[in-house]
Amino acid sequence: MSEPRVSKALESPGEGSNEVFLLDSQTVSPTVAFLQELPSFQSMLRRKASTGGSQNYYSLAPSASGETRNLLEGVASSSAQPLREYALTITEKRRLRDIQEANIKYLSVWNQWRQSSRKSLRKFVKDTKEMSSWLELWRHDIRSIEGKFGTGIQSYFSFLRFLVVLNLVIFLLVFSFITLPSIIFQHGVVNGSHVKVSLRQTEAHCTVYETTGTKGLIYFYNYIIDLLSGTGFLEMTSLFYGYYTVDTIHFGHLKYQVPLAYLLTTLAYLSLSFLWIVKRAVEGFKQSLVCSEDQFQSYCNKIFAGWDFCITDVNAARLKHCSLHYELKESKTKVEDNLLVQYLPSMVITVANFVAPLIFSVIIRSEDYSPGFEIRLTLIRCVFVRLANIGVLLVSLWIRITSCADEKCVACGYNYQLYPCWESRVGQEMYKLMIFDFIIIFAVTVFIDFPRKLMVTHCLVKAFRWCGMQEFAIPDNVLEIVYGQTICWIGTFYCPLLPAIATIKYFIVFYIKKVSLMHTCKPSTRPFRASSSNFFFLVVLLIGLILAFIPLGLSMTRIPSSKACGAFVNFVHSWDILYHTINQLPDVLKTVLDGLASEAFAVPFFMVICLIMFYLIALAGAHKRVVDQLREQLVMESRDKLFLIRKLTDAQRLR
């Protein structure tokens, strides 16, 4: 085929790579003339005409083989990405591999080593990811749930798995830097010193602390009460704040300050939780943006490109089939007395948490919302009720702790008679909330969900079967674990081993919910996409984390530390350990830190952050425009295919 002559009406041929060469329609070959009839080319011409000629476009190439050859040669010269990343056919990828292998002998020894090292590293990373995927917690269980109940239910169990891993990491952090050093010092493994209260600065009556343990003969049920309430034999263990009275531990010539480590570890696990949640939320937000495409396009993608042809196992194929089925549906539509008194706040909060979702579920039925928005609205309503209950409990504790009626109490700064070690008391309340929440989850499953299933399936009286099989209520179940996680974040400062309890709790809750889902629930009649729910679950969890910042910040900076227990007896507030540590630093470092805390640094830093934010916003807008252009290009390619099929059909008829 002869090369077409370029039109004389070239625009600025020497301006650079953005030039566009239009072909003269009178001298082009028949093949090129035929290709210019494609809808994509006609749309390009109309766009050029509508912009007044300010934009120019390349015409279609006279020969696809020439373009392919140039593409292959360009790709072959660079091995920055693996072949599977390029939009080429299998034949072209094989040709590309042959070209790359032929060019290796012309490379220097250094470049050959770099290329082989890069390829080996990519293979190692790929194999590591595949191996780590098999070690993923509950991998098979979650996939089975996805296949039977859809991606919406699967997102809840994935969210629960994330909280198990998060609490395990928090526990390891707290245990490594707070609990373990204190334990090894208490057992005489290393040398160190306890905190010593200065009686010159502190009244003697403020330092008196007697545990609530029962003296004399102890009955077995007392241990049960202590185990459920955190009192008695548990009160002075490493479970609560009052145990940590170590000041300095000597590791050779190094001094390890436990009070400083206590505060910094608290800030560390809060920051880690915040960054981890934001990271996962951003990933979920990206997925929700991708899934917010045209519904018809999403439906077609699931129909024609949703199957994984690498599946060879029958069970995996069945699960994938069920998962696609649900995705398509989503696109389409005395001992009793003491224990009762101690657990009364927890019971009141639990009753409110149980009743509020029922009321909101009745209200939402009269509101005509989509399934996804209905779940999000119910979550928002219930989460503020649940978190408000925690807030009311903490405010009531704060009022009782800080209320003073005499001068002795004012001298201590807190109600030393009622709460000689108020941090441990707050830790006990958080401990009771965590235990009671687990008991309620277990009791509801055993004494409500399973009897309801038996009544519906085996009872012959229709009056007992009117309620029907229950559906897995995603808002209620998400709220349960968000509520428990918020308790964990708040209580870890006062009960350092609470993350370990939360890890064990959520690990057991996973199997409780799985058994309940498999045996007592029916698939939801109104499924929803998991892409938006994953993001929204993390947003709700982030609200709980922000709520945890408030009481912890106030207790560190506003409420005086207990003078009878804990690591901060020598400081007015636990936050003062930072100022004490900074004052012991060299003058140069103190000057640097003072400069970082001054307005002269804060204002430029804020301006730089704003500029970076504006840049990222503009970059996100540019990426969105590129995505829109790519979607438009996909639509035009589908039209080109229909055009070519129509032309081919007409040609066959003429024969």
Side-chain angles (χ1 to χ4, degrees), residues 395-431:
V395 170
S396 63
L397 283 173
W398 188 2
I399 294 174
R400 298 181 66 183
I401 291 171
T402 57
S403 61
C404 292
D406 52 25
E407 296 181 356
K408 290 184 177 181
C409 178
V410 174
C412 297
Y414 59 94
N415 194 336
Y416 74 97
Q417 294 176 336
L418 189 60
Y419 301 106
C421 184
W422 65 266
E423 292 93 344
S424 292
R425 181 60 183 271
V426 175
Q428 290 170 355
E429 292 295 332
M430 298 296 106
Y431 173 83

Side-chain angles (χ1 to χ4, degrees), residues 145-166:
I145 292 172
E146 178 185 3
K148 294 181 179 180
F149 294 91
T151 56
I153 307 297
Q154 173 264 337
S155 64
Y156 162 79
F157 286 91
S158 298
F159 182 58
L160 184 57
R161 176 176 60 188
F162 164 67
L163 291 184
V164 170
V165 177
L166 176 63

Side-chain angles (χ1 to χ4, degrees), residues 387-562:
L387 298 184
N389 291 332
I390 302 178
V392 170
L393 174 63
L394 293 174
V395 170
S396 63
L397 283 173
W398 188 2
I399 294 174
R400 298 181 66 183
I401 291 171
T402 57
S403 61
C404 292
D406 52 25
E407 296 181 356
K408 290 184 177 181
C409 178
V410 174
C412 297
Y414 59 94
N415 194 336
Y416 74 97
Q417 294 176 336
L418 189 60
Y419 301 106
C421 184
W422 65 266
E423 292 93 344
S424 292
R425 181 60 183 271
V426 175
Q428 290 170 355
E429 292 295 332
M430 298 296 106
Y431 173 83
K432 286 187 289 187
L433 285 175
M434 181 72 71
I435 297 298
F436 197 72
D437 184 57
F438 172 75
I439 294 175
I440 291 298
I441 293 175
F442 179 79
V444 168
T445 303
V446 175
F447 299 109
I448 296 180
D449 294 345
F450 277 97
R452 177 178 177 177
K453 169 67 180 299
L454 296 175
M455 182 177 64
V456 171
T457 56
H458 299 288
C459 186
L460 300 178
V461 182
K462 292 184 178 180
F464 292 98
R465 302 173 61 182
W466 66 271
C467 57
M469 295 261 310
Q470 66 171 344
E471 295 181 1
F472 192 81
I474 295 179
D476 297 345
N477 287 281
V478 170
L479 282 172
E480 285 178 355
I481 57 178
V482 171
Y483 167 77
Q485 187 59 39
T486 305
I487 293 173
C488 179
W489 279 323
I490 297 175
T492 300
F493 181 79
Y494 313 103
C495 182
L497 296 184
L498 198 60
I501 300 175
T503 304
I504 299 173
K505 168 192 169 183
Y506 289 139
F507 189 87
I508 300 175
V509 165
F510 180 90
Y511 290 101
I512 293 176
K513 294 297 181 180
K514 179 189 173 184
V515 172
S516 176
L517 176 67
M518 293 295 185
H519 298 282
T520 68
C521 297
K522 65 179 180 180
S524 176
T525 57
R526 305 181 68 190
F528 63 98
R529 286 198 302 263
S531 57
S532 59
S533 62
N534 287 328
F535 169 71
F536 198 75
F537 292 167
L538 293 168
V539 172
V540 173
L541 186 63
L542 193 60
I543 295 174
L545 178 59
I546 294 174
L547 176 66
F549 286 153
I550 299 175
L552 286 175
L554 292 176
S555 66
M556 292 177 184
T557 58
R558 296 296 180 184
I559 305 180
S561 302
S562 296

Side-chain angles (χ1 to χ4, degrees), residues 13-25:
E15 290 183 358
S17 59
N18 292 328
E19 307 161 356
V20 175
F21 300 91
L22 294 177
L23 298 177
D24 192 348
S25 60

